[in-house]
């Protein structure tokens, strides 16, 4: 990253969690209501659903997708598919607000020209959690993942490249964006059970949007 990029991209309060992992606190706060409005347009076409893992467990987090391909689970494993298996239709297109935010956040963290083709939307109710995992179903091993947190806060776990590396914990709040690239791209991570609460824009929900480059 050049000095110009640093002064261009970084804002006060940005925090490097690990090499390649940047927490941009409040980066999406100004456009949060637009993002939530666009989440509703996506879920009108591709509703939230609780996926069943290949091991037979129903996930407590409800998910859907937009973009060219979406992340799905079936008996033989996880995969990205162009058709929503629940509706038989293509996933809704990436809303302009999503594409714009993903690109600007990646740029701010030193990853120019991020052009995601997949967007996974997670919905947490109180008690929903995501156990420690790696995201490795994407064919592009170089592009970062950009995540946006909306609504209720959550405690996020961020570990190392081995499942047994003790994870650090960070509280992610409404409008926070994290960019995971470089050596952090394949780090183990998870979300502790979301506490009950109320957020003026989402009620008792936490919404997380992640942008990925699959192809
Ligand atoms: C670190 N989502 O969708 S976002 C996921 O809050 C997922 O819903 C969580 O893990 C959520 O796969 C965490 C933060 C995140 C996303 C992807 C990562 C952290 C990551 C990929 C590599 C390393
Ligand atoms: Fe993940």
């Amino acid at each position: 990253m050049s000095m110009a990029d640093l002064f261009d991209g970084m804002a006060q309060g940005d925090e490097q969690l690990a090499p390649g992992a940047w927490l941009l606190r409040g980066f999406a706060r100004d456009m949060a209501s637009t993002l939530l409005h666009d989440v509703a347009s996506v879920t009108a076409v591709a509703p939230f659903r609780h996926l069943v893992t290949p091991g037979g467990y129903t996930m407590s987090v409800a998910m859907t997708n937009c973009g060219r391909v979406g992340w799905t689970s079936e008996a033989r494993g996880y995969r990205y598919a162009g058709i929503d298996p629940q509706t038989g239709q293509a996933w809704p297109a990436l809303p302009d607000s999503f594409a714009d935010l993903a690109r600007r956040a990646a740029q701010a963290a030193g990853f120019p020209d991020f052009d995601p083709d997949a967007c996974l939307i997670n919905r947490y109710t109180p008690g929903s959690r995501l156990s420690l995992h790696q995201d490795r179903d994407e064919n592009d091993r170089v592009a970062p993942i950009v995540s946006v947190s909306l609504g209720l806060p959550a405690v996020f776990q961020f570990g190392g490249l081995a499942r047994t590396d003790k994870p650090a914990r960070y509280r992610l709040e409404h409008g926070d964006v994290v960019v995971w690239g470089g050596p952090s791209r394949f780090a183990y991570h998870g979300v502790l059970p979301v506490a009950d609460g109320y957020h003026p824009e989402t009620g008792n929900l936490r919404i997380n949007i992640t942008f990925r480059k699959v192809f």
Side-chain angles (χ1 to χ4, degrees):
M1 204 192 277
S2 72
M3 287 303 269
D5 288 330
L6 283 167
F7 284 95
D8 251 11
M10 292 185 47
Q12 203 171 5
D14 291 353
E15 189 184 343
Q16 187 169 27
L17 305 184
W22 289 94
L23 171 51
L24 313 175
R25 289 227 185 256
F27 190 90
R29 211 175 286 145
D30 287 352
M31 59 185 309
S33 33
T34 303
L35 295 172
L36 287 166
H37 176 269
D38 289 343
V39 168
S41 332
V42 168
T43 60
V45 175
F48 281 117
R49 77 290 306 266
H50 292 271
L51 297 177
V52 179
T53 68
Y57 292 95
T58 300
M59 298 180 76
S60 61
V61 177
M63 300 180 169
T64 188
N65 295 275
C66 58
R68 207 161 72 71
V69 289
W71 188 79
T72 63
S73 177
E74 24 184 79
R76 65 183 147 139
Y78 302 110
R79 70 186 185 102
Y80 280 94
I83 298 292
D84 176 353
Q86 182 167 304
T87 65
Q89 305 298 311
W91 299 102
L94 203 65
D96 288 344
S97 65
F98 285 23
D100 172 63
L101 173 72
R103 198 174 183 80
R104 286 190 300 106
Q107 170 84 48
F111 300 94
D113 306 316
F114 181 52
D115 184 20
D117 48 22
C119 171
L120 175 64
I121 308 174
N122 295 334
R123 183 190 68 191
Y124 296 74
T125 50
S128 298
R129 58 191 284 272
L130 203 56
S131 56
L132 221 51
H133 67 278
Q134 290 172 301
D135 291 13
R136 52 180 178 199
D137 300 317
E138 298 75 22
N139 298 321
D140 188 319
R141 317 305 272 180
V142 176
I145 290 182
V146 173
S147 77
V148 184
S149 292
L150 297 168
L152 287 185
V155 178
F156 172 74
Q157 294 182 292
F158 181 53
L161 295 178
R163 188 185 287 280
T164 49
D165 294 341
K166 183 179 161 61
R169 292 179 173 191
Y170 300 93
R171 183 182 158 93
L172 294 181
E173 295 188 40
H174 183 70
D176 288 349
V177 174
V178 195
V179 181
W180 317 89
S184 292
R185 172 64 182 78
F186 293 99
Y188 276 90
H189 58 279
V191 178
L192 296 184
V194 168
D196 198 5
Y198 174 82
H199 189 280
E201 295 209 45
T202 63
N204 72 341
L205 302 177
R206 172 175 187 260
I207 302 288
N208 180 267
I209 310 174
T210 47
F211 300 97
R212 298 128 189 280
K213 183 108 183 83
V214 176
F215 295 113

